[in-house]
Amino acid sequence: MDTDERRSAARASNYVCQLSYAGQLAGQHASQSSRAASHASDQAGVPRQGLWVEEPAVRWRLADPVRTAAVRAVIIVALTMIQAMVAFLSTLTGSWLAFPMVLSSVASTVVATWAALDVWVTRQVWKQRNGVVSLPSSSARQLRRERRRARRTARTAVRRAEQIRRRGSGQLSEA
């Protein structure tokens, strides 16, 4: 299944889910009499739609290496923020821990920046290695066909000219 087929399938399923969601919203505003009727239909053996309807994700899932780098970056950034908050509070209280915490917060900020860049680089590398296979557009295909056709006609014209030259000047005979 190529990329276009996957995207069209995702759009179709998303559209169906949106329709079912719209139907649920319309069903929420139903009157008491329709609820009583639906309760009677449940007893008659007609199944009702559940409360939870699974909707597909709009965006594709990240690749495993990219997701790993992103989780690592989020953990590092969270720890850096905690460390910066501890450094700030210990500075306010005048604790001896303030200076070492400020130094380590600066180092952690460098590491957090590196981790964020790692996510970006990992994503770009993954896209280059395993990314979407681009298909030529119909206009590019059409231009290639026209070029091929022109080359073919030029080759046949050259062949005909060589055949005429090999046969002679085109006169019947010289005798």
Side-chain angles (χ1 to χ4, degrees), residues 7-19 54-57:
R7 286 185 181 151
S8 62
R11 281 190 209 111
S13 64
N14 195 11
Y15 179 70
V16 169
C17 289
Q18 286 175 353
L19 287 178
E54 191 71 29
E55 293 185 14

Side-chain angles (χ1 to χ4, degrees), residues 137-154:
S137 66
S138 60
S139 62
R141 226 177 270 135
Q142 184 178 1
L143 287 173
R144 265 201 316 248
R145 280 188 201 125
E146 290 172 3
R147 280 190 220 121
R148 253 186 261 131
R149 197 174 296 130
R151 280 192 302 244
R152 210 175 294 136
T153 56

